[in-house]
Amino acid sequence: MKILVIEDEPALLESILAYFTGEGNICEHASDFALASEKIAVYSYDCILLDLGLPGGEGLELLTKLKQLKKRDGVLIISARHSLDDKLAGLDLGADDYLVKPFHLSELKARVSAIVRRKNFDGDNVIHFNEMAVDVSAMKVTVKGNLVILTKKEFDLLVYFLSNRNKVVTKNAMAEHLWGDEMDLSDDFDFIYTHVKNLRKKLLEAGAADYLRSVYGIGYKFGDI
Amino acid sequence: MKLANRYNRVNILTSIVVFAITGLIYYVVIHFILTEKLDRDLVVEENEIRQYVDTYHKLPLPASYLDQKIAYKNLSGHVPEREFLYTRYYNAKEQENEPGRSLITVVYLNGKAVEVTITKSRVESEDLVRIILLITIGITLILLLSLLLINRFVLNRLWRPFYAILNGMKSFEVARMDAIAHEDTRIDEFNELHQSVNAMAERVRRDYKELKSFTDNASHEMMTPLAVINSKLDSLLQTESFTAQQGELLADVYHATGRLSRLHQSLLLLAKIENNLIPDFQEIDLKEMVEVKGRQFQELFEKDGLSLTTDLQVVEIKMSRYLADILLNNLFSNGVRHNITGGYIRVELSSVALIMANSGKPGNIQSKIFDRFSKSADSEGMGLGLAISKQICNLYGFRISYQEENGEHIFAVYFGG
């Protein structure tokens, strides 16, 4: 997929680009309002990561611009602004999602993948990975044509892993993805282990190869070994 | 009691008392004057009789006129004093008893004392007094009535601009920019009030904006470095050239940044609630929300082997959905965090209160449980959850309370305050 990252903080921009490049993703970036609006006008992207409060202009104006140009690019707002009205304003203007800083890169990737999948809904809504096929809209998983019955959490977890193929994801990020902000109540993420264990067992039983690896007690990695 | 009513009441009560007193004084004075006049007439009559006796050495004929009657009585022995008194006498013409004023005096005719009683009718003066009384009462009633009418209609209209301003203040919302409504009036006080109220509203709005931009900026400036740290950690994690020991260190750093960003968010949230910066206000089905929360926390209950029992009634409540979610989160997570393995959580919801009870270790809860950064020694939290809960309750006029009974910790949110 083709992604435009509009972010004025160089360190963060660099991390995001590093995380997204590879696996056929093309990433471009803009770090001020003028450059961003130029790129938006000239090119089309699968997803635009938009930081609010840019040098030279307000990020939300870019959304209005996109609408005027009648572009169908997916937009994910990434902002440190936590207030509800900002979120609502962004979503009202046509953004697809809103992620508050600080976030986990794996969460960002999962959200971007979801937006891109939604945008291409009439096309392919099935994620293929080796012998696996995950139909996101029907919530159906097949391995070599065999249906695998997963719980909602296990399914979400699998989609999350697939969005972050070959990346190490932390238990912390997984917990936040699956349960939202409630997880700030506990620093003990052992209960995630149960879900991961069950998911792995079901996939193995259905005949999939073992793609899951535990990483030094901080997280997991899903991908070709 | 409304000002107009209060004023009305005082005004009318005072008027009645004043009218009653003046009426009484009026009556007494006029009565006194009329009696004086009668008495003077009686004295004139007495003098005439005396002169008659002195001149002719005999008594004038006892005559009975319309309004006057003279009677004689020969006295033997005791001689009474001269005196005026009220009497009744028989009016032969009118053939009825009438009130009268008599003068009893003594004249000496050829050395013999004769008692003379001169009586004059009081009917006329009584009539006069009665008419005066009636006129006074009539005027009083008309005055009172007009006072009532004036108060009711004129005062109400006079006060209308005041109530318009009052209503404007009641519906004042800091996030909306419209000025407070005003009815045109020539009354200086109300115009001044309106100006002051609008000036105040303007100041409040300005403070609100400043505060909002401050929280937004603070959040931006603090969150950006945190976002950088987090993203760098995520990037570092992908290099995979680290040992188990380094992994542990990484986990600790993750843990710390997570705490920091949550702390920051909690403090921001507290500031926002305290300054009423959360505008979203809607009807909420609390029962459904509690049920959803119960499902969300399922894994956490299972982890510690906790059992959840609920007794929920349908309760609709007006508040921010966002804050309701946070309130329930905090109460639930509190119940999980301060529980014992294999314990229980009990939730009761009625139109009166939401009660969350959980088993736990007894007796380690401080009295300042709802204060910021107050937490028990073995707590993993930041000590902000209950402070936030309390602020949310304060915002909507709820009352939150905590008590411990036989190792059961009970939090209750009373909706009625």
Side-chain angles (χ1 to χ4, degrees):
Chain A
M1 47 193 177
K2 197 173 163 196
I3 294 161
L4 173 64
V5 187
I6 305 171
E7 167 65 63
D8 60 322
E9 177 66 43
L12 189 57
L13 178 67
E14 191 192 310
S15 304
I16 294 174
L17 291 177
Y19 200 90
F20 275 81
T21 336
E23 294 155 31
N25 297 324
I26 301 161
C27 287
E28 288 183 22
H29 63 91
S31 39
D32 61 49
F33 186 84
L35 188 59
S37 46
E38 190 188 317
K39 286 204 177 237
I40 282 176
V42 179
Y43 307 105
S44 279
Y45 299 91
D46 291 312
C47 191
I48 299 171
L49 304 186
L50 177 62
D51 183 23
L52 305 179
L54 292 165
E58 178 56 40
L60 287 176
E61 280 171 38
L62 290 173
L63 276 175
T64 328
K65 213 163 216 165
L66 265 176
K67 228 180 210 172
Q68 281 164 1
L69 293 166
K70 295 199 164 56
K71 295 241 179 180
R72 287 190 65 249
D73 307 22
V75 178
L76 170 61
I77 296 177
I78 43 176
S79 169
R81 289 188 211 157
H82 197 240
S83 86
L84 202 63
D85 353 340
D86 282 327
K87 277 186 203 178
L88 294 177
L91 296 176
D92 274 352
L93 279 173
D96 296 271
D97 205 350
Y98 193 111
L99 191 56
V100 177
K101 289 177 187 174
F103 46 74
H104 292 279
L105 290 177
S106 48
E107 179 65 25
L108 184 67
K109 187 103 190 277
R111 301 253 193 139
V112 169
S113 305
I115 289 173
V116 173
R117 273 199 308 272
R118 273 205 298 277
K119 288 277 162 194
N120 303 333
F121 194 81
D122 30 296
D124 190 12
N125 205 28
V126 180
I127 310 170
H128 293 280
F129 177 69
N130 296 351
E131 66 271 30
M132 276 183 225
V134 179
D135 187 335
V136 180
S137 58
M139 284 189 60
K140 233 170 68 182
V141 179
T142 49
V143 174
K144 292 175 182 164
N146 304 324
L147 190 67
V148 187
I149 307 295
L150 296 180
T151 64
K152 172 92 171 65
K153 289 250 156 58
E154 287 159 4
F155 181 84
D156 288 345
L157 202 53
L158 179 59
V159 173
Y160 189 71
F161 279 137
L162 285 170
S163 301
N164 287 286
R165 251 169 277 173
N166 298 320
K167 305 276 187 201
V168 181
V169 290
T170 59
K171 282 193 272 193
N172 202 321
M174 286 157 65
E176 276 175 31
H177 177 76
L178 291 183
W179 285 275
D181 290 336
E182 285 83 39
M183 284 307 110
D184 66 329
L185 61 100
S186 174
D187 297 318
D188 177 7
F189 298 119
D190 283 351
F191 54 94
I192 286 180
Y193 173 72
T194 322
H195 289 285
V196 175
K197 196 179 74 183
N198 290 341
L199 173 66
R200 183 183 190 179
K201 199 171 130 203
K202 285 179 182 175
L203 290 178
L204 286 177
E205 277 171 2
D210 188 7
Y211 296 113
L212 256 173
R213 213 144 48 79
S214 167
V215 181
Y216 302 114
I218 23 175
Y220 296 92
K221 184 171 170 177
F222 185 93
D224 298 306
I225 310 295
Chain B
M1 186 187 275
K2 284 198 172 176
L3 181 69
N5 281 352
R6 174 108 190 131
Y7 172 76
N8 239 348
R9 188 174 290 187
V10 171
N11 199 1
I12 285 170
L13 269 177
T14 321
S15 307
I16 288 174
V17 169
V18 168
F19 281 133
I21 291 172
T22 42
L24 199 69
I25 292 172
Y26 221 53
Y27 177 82
V28 169
V29 168
I30 288 175
H31 196 267
F32 178 75
I33 290 171
L34 288 176
T35 310
E36 276 289 284
K37 187 182 169 287
L38 271 178
D39 288 358
R40 270 202 309 276
D41 289 353
L42 286 172
V43 170
V44 168
E45 206 62 40
E46 183 196 17
N47 287 338
E48 275 178 11
I49 291 172
R50 275 183 202 285
Q51 276 173 8
Y52 191 93
V53 170
D54 284 348
T55 316
Y56 300 104
H57 299 290
K58 64 171 185 176
L59 287 166
L61 284 176
S64 180
Y65 306 102
L66 187 61
D67 297 329
Q68 189 173 321
K69 197 176 168 186
I70 298 169
Y72 305 106
K73 197 164 108 191
N74 287 324
L75 285 175
S76 53
H78 173 71
V79 178
E81 297 237 331
R82 182 172 176 268
E83 63 170 338
F84 293 95
L85 67 158
Y86 293 107
T87 51
R88 300 193 73 80
Y89 74 104
Y90 182 73
N91 186 332
K93 285 224 172 73
E94 300 278 326
Q95 294 189 334
E96 59 186 11
N97 269 320
E98 282 182 3
R101 177 82 174 165
S102 301
L103 170 62
I104 297 172
T105 186
V106 177
V107 292
Y108 292 90
L109 182 66
N110 308 323
K112 271 195 285 184
V114 178
E115 185 195 78
V116 181
T117 307
I118 312 163
T119 308
K120 267 182 169 290
S121 167
R122 271 195 296 133
V123 169
E124 255 177 64
S125 61
E126 288 279 305
D127 282 350
L128 198 59
V129 168
R130 195 172 299 135
I131 287 169
I132 290 170
L133 193 69
L134 281 179
I135 290 174
T136 316
I137 288 174
I139 290 174
T140 310
L141 285 180
I142 290 171
L143 264 174
L144 284 180
L145 195 70
S146 49
L147 261 180
L148 259 178
L149 290 179
I150 287 173
N151 286 348
R152 165 150 291 178
F153 295 108
V154 177
L155 271 186
N156 270 359
R157 206 167 54 225
L158 276 181
W159 280 98
R160 209 157 10 160
F162 174 79
Y163 287 113
I165 294 171
L166 196 65
N167 282 334
M169 287 170 78
K170 271 186 204 155
S171 58
F172 175 71
E173 269 177 44
V174 77
R176 283 216 315 258
M177 291 313 288
D178 42 351
I180 284 169
H182 177 234
E183 240 179 64
D184 275 334
T185 171
R186 275 178 308 192
I187 296 172
D188 292 343
E189 281 88 347
F190 290 151
N191 281 330
E192 223 167 280
L193 178 68
H194 180 244
Q195 277 163 17
S196 315
V197 162
N198 262 337
M200 196 182 74
E202 205 38 59
R203 273 202 304 279
V204 169
R205 281 203 192 95
R206 209 175 45 232
D207 287 356
Y208 168 82
K209 259 196 215 155
E210 263 168 34
L211 194 73
K212 191 169 181 300
S213 79
F214 169 77
T215 47
D216 286 351
N217 289 339
S219 123
H220 187 258
E221 293 311 318
M222 289 166 89
M223 285 309 196
T224 305
L226 264 178
V228 171
I229 294 173
N230 230 23
S231 73
K232 291 294 167 196
L233 279 175
D234 283 345
S235 301
L236 179 62
L237 207 57
Q238 310 309 328
T239 57
E240 275 200 76
S241 56
F242 52 89
T243 63
Q245 196 197 352
Q246 285 167 330
E248 225 167 81
L249 291 175
L250 262 177
D252 285 349
V253 180
Y254 263 119
H255 181 61
T257 53
R259 270 182 82 103
L260 198 54
S261 78
R262 284 198 299 274
L263 171 69
H264 179 73
Q265 275 166 16
S266 301
L267 285 174
L268 266 181
L269 181 65
L270 257 179
K272 277 185 187 165
I273 299 171
E274 273 171 13
N275 293 291
N276 206 353
L277 294 185
I278 293 169
D280 146 57
F281 190 72
Q282 50 183 301
E283 196 83 25
I284 284 170
D285 182 352
L286 209 55
K287 175 176 189 260
E288 189 200 332
M289 234 176 156
V290 171
E291 283 167 348
V292 169
K293 261 307 145 229
R295 283 198 292 279
Q296 277 180 3
F297 275 78
Q298 189 110 43
E299 277 87 5
L300 292 172
F301 298 147
E302 281 167 10
K303 185 178 70 118
D304 290 334
L306 305 178
S307 62
L308 173 71
T309 52
T310 54
D311 176 13
L312 309 175
Q313 291 168 22
V314 177
V315 174
E316 297 246 312
I317 205 162
K318 269 202 147 175
M319 66 187 292
S320 155
R321 176 168 287 277
Y322 175 58
L323 291 185
D325 193 66
I326 289 170
L327 179 63
L328 288 179
N329 257 346
N330 287 346
L331 290 178
F332 267 104
S333 53
N334 215 56
V336 172
R337 196 181 292 214
H338 300 286
N339 220 316
I340 45 173
T341 311
Y344 65 90
I345 292 180
R346 185 163 54 82
V347 187
E348 283 170 31
L349 178 66
S350 67
S351 54
V352 180
L354 169 69
I355 293 167
M356 298 262 319
N358 64 272
S359 54
K361 284 169 238 137
N364 57 352
I365 308 283
Q366 308 153 2
S367 58
K368 293 174 178 174
I369 186 165
F370 292 112
D371 287 0
R372 288 174 193 197
F373 301 111
S374 109
K375 54 177 182 174
S376 56
D378 54 348
S379 166
E380 295 166 327
M382 291 176 292
L384 281 174
L386 285 175
I388 290 174
S389 304
K390 184 160 173 60
Q391 284 298 340
I392 294 174
C393 289
N394 283 352
L395 183 64
Y396 295 109
F398 305 158
R399 186 169 61 83
I400 188 166
S401 76
Y402 165 78
Q403 65 187 77
E404 189 198 329
E405 263 174 30
N406 310 325
E408 186 177 58
H409 302 274
I410 304 166
F411 285 91
V413 176
Y414 297 96
F415 303 126

